[in-house]
Amino acid sequence: MNEEISNKIRRFDDTITDRVETIGNTLKRIIETSVDNEIENKVEKIGKEIKKKQELGLKDRILEEYSDLNNYIHILTRKNLTLEQYSQERFGNLISFNGLKGYVEKEGYWVNEGLTYISILFNETKKEYLYYVVEPELSTFELLVLETLFENILDTLTLYDTSNQEKDKILENKTLELLDCYSIDIDIVATYKILYYIKRDYIGYERLDALMKDPNIEDISCDGSNIPVFVYHRKYQNIKTNLSFEADKLDSFVMKLAQSCQKQISLGEPLINSTLPEGSRLNASLGKEITFRGSTFTIRKFREHAFTPADLIKSGTFSSEILAFLWLAVENGKSILFAGATAAGKTSALNAISLFIPSMAKIISIEDTHELVLHHLNWIGSVTRESVNKMTAAKEIDMYELLRQALRQRPEYIIVGEIRGKEAMTLFQAMNTGHTTFSTMHADSINTVISRLEGDPINVPRVMIRALDLLCIQTLIQMENKKYDSKVRRLDTMIEFTGIDEQTHDLRFNEIYTLDTKNDCFKPSGRSYILDGIMVKHGWDEKKLKFELDNRRKLLEYMVKKDMAEMEIVSLIQNHYVDPQNTMRRIEKDV
């Protein structure tokens, strides 16, 4: 079909080659000097001139197809194409989807209103889910126009003025200009569909764009060429998609991802671990040198808004009572470590409790890939750097070096994304010299935590571990009850370290809260030595301590009840630090 269209265009060009200049000049005069009632006469005159050519031997078939000169003139003399903002109410959906044979739709939702639809399908026979992405379907003509635009738009973008416009507006303007130049008759719906793919592939993530825009997706994994892409869905966990990559397309896409991180990947250096422009974590490999099924990539998606304490309460990960305890601990400079298996929510919890840090405190964060989002002005966020080229002087800067530098900057709070090597020793040295530190590590129990800290390659002496105040062990568990029927993240145990036994030299610790999985609730396990220390520090009695904890619990429950946005929560926390009495009076009136 594409060849047929090309042949028609070629035959048309051959027919009017010797009249292009004359017709062009005439049309220009029509546009510049004519009034509406003159146009028909002039068009008719041009038609007669071309008809003379027919009498001189032009093929009848060609003239039959293109004798409608009025239509040709309409295309050439129309106003420049303009495009208003797409509206589903006015133009309807640009896609159609009637389900998939053998599957039942369990859930469906838009990730780009009217343009990209996600259908969660279930096959009863195979007992498997399918994540199905539905995008606008192009006709043969629209596909030909899109391919032509892809080729031509590259020649113009580098010269295009980008100083005062956003990328999507630039692409839209250039696409409309090129469509005008092509002098083809194309309707508004086809234009929208073509623009969708232009923007998706030039400034989006190509065929993964819908997955990147879906807030329900946490991870995206490609295991090789011609293998379905898998996603981790917040509700359905690991699920196969209808997307895949051919070998050459996959290699090209992996290189594009690396370049978007401002890094290079090649067969000589086939691995990359970096951060995408919007914050998602990328791990990728190129070719079949180390992954025999072809290039691979895993994208750990970055939430548009960081987890807040209210989010942790809504999801059931923590209770308001536990977070009130942590708020008081953070405020009083207690060091906290979050431990758990992969995807147990360690970093999310770390980010959320970091919002409890007083607004004027000096904070330094250290990460391999940027994930933490704080709203404190006095915050230095630092990330590690790999060696660009081992042959150059651009040396690697690891977490250990960043942490050494941080200790020279008099920080009040040090946040380390994850400890796994020699930087842990420096972190515990900082704890022992009075610095407040927060961090995460991979371990699923108190014994595993201690074993990892004391063993290679961390090697922290037991006498230094006791400087850690709180350990929060988190878990990812399957909940099957009326409220949940999927894997959920929960705080498993909160432990405080109380010292070393003089006789056995074992670490002494106290469980403060534990998870009751049967009833999905948290049970207090005993008196807290940390709270006793805070009472002594401030000269409080039991009544005053309970009052302070209750106030913080009320603030947290107020955040949840009012469904407050991230910045509103930050503002409320900082207002409580500045003027706690007025803040409490205001929320009690509003409850």
Side-chain angles (χ1 to χ4, degrees):
M1 188 64 184
N2 290 353
E3 185 177 353
E4 182 182 344
I5 294 171
S6 299
N7 289 337
K8 285 186 177 184
I9 295 171
R10 194 179 303 112
R11 291 198 302 270
F12 176 72
D13 289 341
D14 291 339
T15 304
I16 64 167
T17 297
D18 59 335
R19 295 293 296 162
V20 167
E21 187 175 354
T22 303
I23 291 175
N25 291 335
T26 304
L27 291 175
K28 186 177 180 181
R29 288 195 298 275
I30 290 173
I31 296 166
E32 292 177 349
T33 64
S34 294
V35 292
D36 291 341
N37 58 4
E38 295 180 83
I39 291 178
E40 283 191 21
N41 293 333
K42 295 196 175 186
V43 168
E44 184 180 355
K45 184 176 178 181
I46 297 170
K48 287 178 181 178
E49 291 181 22
I50 289 184
K51 195 170 183 179
K52 289 179 184 178
K53 290 288 182 182
Q54 177 189 12
E55 295 169 356
L56 294 175
L58 293 174
K59 292 181 179 180
D60 291 338
R61 184 177 173 187
I62 295 175
L63 287 167
E64 284 172 8
E65 292 181 4
Y66 299 105
S67 59
D68 188 2
L69 186 64
N70 284 316
N71 184 52
Y72 180 66
I73 296 242
H74 161 71
I75 294 171
L76 293 179
T77 59
R78 69 185 177 194
K79 294 180 180 179
N80 288 341
L81 281 172
T82 56
L83 206 63
E84 60 182 279
Q85 182 67 33
Y86 171 77
S87 139
Q88 193 176 9
E89 293 76 21
R90 180 165 181 182
F91 299 104
N93 300 333
L94 301 188
I95 65 164
S96 60
F97 180 64
N98 299 317
L100 197 63
K101 186 177 180 181
Y103 287 85
V104 176
E105 185 175 78
K106 292 292 186 179
E107 185 179 350
Y109 50 88
W110 296 99
V111 292
N112 190 355
E113 201 71 27
L115 293 164
T116 318
Y117 180 77
I118 303 301
S119 177
I120 307 295
L121 305 171
F122 183 72
N123 186 299
E124 187 65 39
T125 305
K126 297 179 181 178
K127 301 294 182 184
E128 70 174 15
Y129 286 96
L130 176 65
Y131 182 97
Y132 201 89
V133 180
V134 187
E135 297 179 293
E137 188 175 344
L138 298 175
S139 67
T140 306
F141 171 69
E142 291 161 353
L143 186 60
L144 177 65
V145 174
L146 178 62
E147 289 173 353
T148 306
L149 282 167
F150 267 126
E151 293 175 5
N152 294 344
I153 209 165
L154 282 173
D155 299 329
T156 60
L157 282 177
T158 53
L159 302 175
Y160 204 67
D161 181 18
T162 62
S163 57
N164 299 315
Q165 299 185 67
E166 295 181 357
K167 290 180 180 179
D168 64 335
K169 196 63 181 176
I170 293 168
L171 281 172
E172 184 176 305
N173 291 340
K174 289 310 299 178
T175 299
L176 296 179
E177 287 178 19
L178 287 170
L179 287 175
D180 271 327
C181 293
Y182 295 160
S183 298
I184 55 175
D185 203 5
I186 185 166
D187 62 48
I188 191 72
V189 172
T191 305
Y192 276 123
K193 291 199 287 186
I194 288 168
L195 267 171
Y196 168 80
Y197 285 103
I198 290 286
K199 292 178 180 180
R200 186 200 77 168
D201 289 3
Y202 270 104
I203 58 177
Y205 287 91
E206 298 185 11
R207 61 189 74 181
L208 290 188
D209 202 51
L211 278 58
M212 294 297 289
K213 288 178 178 175
D214 187 349
N216 298 301
I217 299 300
E218 294 186 8
D219 288 347
I220 304 169
S221 300
C222 177
D223 305 326
S225 58
N226 300 308
I227 300 170
V229 171
F230 282 80
V231 296
Y232 188 91
H233 195 280
R234 296 187 192 280
K235 184 175 180 181
Y236 301 97
Q237 282 79 59
N238 287 308
I239 180 172
K240 181 174 66 175
T241 74
N242 63 320
L243 306 176
S244 62
F245 287 86
E246 305 81 12
D248 58 335
K249 294 284 186 183
L250 180 56
D251 291 346
S252 175
F253 184 67
V254 167
M255 287 190 281
K256 179 179 177 180
L257 288 175
Q259 288 166 3
S260 69
C261 301
Q262 297 184 346
K263 295 197 175 178
Q264 296 295 323
I265 189 169
S266 64
L267 293 179
E269 295 286 341
L271 290 175
I272 184 174
N273 186 39
S274 191
T275 306
L276 292 167
E278 92 293 345
S280 298
R281 291 169 59 178
L282 170 70
N283 180 274
S285 67
L286 180 65
K288 296 185 177 181
E289 298 294 318
I290 55 174
T291 48
F292 56 83
R293 295 203 289 181
S295 298
T296 67
F297 62 81
T298 299
I299 298 173
R300 186 88 174 268
K301 280 186 62 182
F302 178 78
R303 280 172 57 101
E304 186 177 350
H305 300 288
F307 272 96
T308 64
D311 292 325
L312 297 180
I313 296 171
K314 289 176 189 175
S315 64
T317 305
F318 288 78
S319 67
S320 57
E321 180 184 348
I322 293 173
L323 284 176
F325 180 102
L326 287 171
W327 186 342
L328 202 58
V330 170
E331 185 179 341
N332 285 274
K334 302 303 179 183
S335 293
I336 305 171
L337 180 65
F338 292 90
T342 301
K346 302 182 295 296
T347 305
S348 299
L350 174 63
N351 201 109
I353 66 107
S354 297
L355 299 184
F356 295 142
I357 299 174
S359 60
M360 291 296 105
K362 183 170 183 178
I363 308 166
I364 296 180
S365 66
I366 299 164
E367 302 174 84
D368 275 330
T369 53
H370 174 47
E371 289 184 281
L372 296 173
V373 179
L374 303 183
H375 299 278
H376 298 70
L377 290 177
N378 197 7
W379 167 42
I380 298 174
S382 55
V383 293
T384 60
R385 185 188 74 179
E386 295 178 359
S387 176
V388 178
N389 188 329
K390 293 179 182 179
M391 302 299 292
T392 67
K395 69 173 185 177
E396 177 182 354
I397 300 176
D398 59 14
M399 295 182 79
Y400 172 70
E401 181 60 31
L402 289 174
L403 188 52
R404 284 201 323 127
Q405 295 299 321
L407 293 173
R408 297 169 182 170
Q409 300 173 54
R410 294 189 63 192
E412 294 173 73
Y413 291 83
I414 300 173
I415 305 174
V416 178
E418 181 183 347
I419 54 172
R420 60 172 77 91
K422 60 182 180 179
E423 71 280 350
M425 172 64 83
T426 308
L427 187 72
F428 274 86
Q429 286 175 338
M431 286 185 207
N432 279 269
T433 55
H435 293 85
T436 302
T437 68
F438 306 146
S439 189
T440 72
M441 73 179 298
H442 279 81
D444 58 5
S445 68
I446 177 65
N447 291 330
T448 309
V449 169
I450 295 172
S451 177
R452 282 207 65 199
L453 289 174
E454 291 185 328
D456 290 331
I458 299 178
N459 298 316
V460 177
R462 183 167 296 187
V463 70
M464 294 179 69
I465 296 176
R466 66 179 180 179
L468 178 64
D469 296 299
L470 280 170
L471 171 64
C472 296
I473 299 175
Q474 297 193 225
T475 184
L476 185 66
I477 58 175
Q478 184 78 29
M479 282 283 187
E480 296 180 0
N481 53 34
K482 293 180 181 178
K483 191 174 180 182
Y484 303 100
D485 189 14
S486 61
K487 289 184 178 179
V488 294
R489 295 175 175 90
R490 291 289 182 268
L491 171 71
D492 184 65
T493 313
M494 182 187 287
I495 298 164
E496 61 181 3
F497 288 84
T498 59
I500 295 181
D501 189 287
E502 293 183 358
Q503 295 181 347
T504 64
H505 301 291
D506 290 334
L507 284 165
R508 294 191 307 185
F509 50 85
N510 177 41
E511 288 188 353
I512 309 173
Y513 292 97
T514 56
L515 175 66
D516 178 357
T517 53
K518 183 178 180 180
N519 299 304
D520 192 22
C521 65
F522 302 98
K523 291 185 175 180
S525 302
R527 186 180 183 88
S528 168
Y529 291 91
I530 285 178
L531 292 183
D532 287 345
I534 291 173
M535 280 197 299
V536 172
K537 176 183 175 181
H538 293 285
W540 295 344
D541 56 17
E542 293 275 358
K543 184 178 179 181
K544 174 63 174 176
L545 177 66
K546 186 177 183 302
F547 174 77
E548 293 294 334
L549 286 170
D550 284 345
N551 279 352
R552 286 159 179 77
R553 179 182 52 78
K554 289 175 185 176
L555 286 167
L556 290 161
E557 290 171 354
Y558 179 77
M559 297 171 192
V560 176
K561 183 179 179 181
K562 294 297 181 180
D563 195 22
M564 297 178 73
E566 185 178 0
M567 292 309 300
E568 292 176 306
I569 290 173
V570 172
S571 178
L572 181 62
I573 291 171
Q574 301 308 332
N575 285 342
H576 181 262
Y577 277 122
V578 174
D579 193 346
Q581 288 80 17
N582 281 334
T583 303
M584 293 307 302
R585 277 197 293 268
R586 181 166 60 85
I587 71 159
E588 285 169 359
K589 285 181 181 178
D590 196 26
V591 171

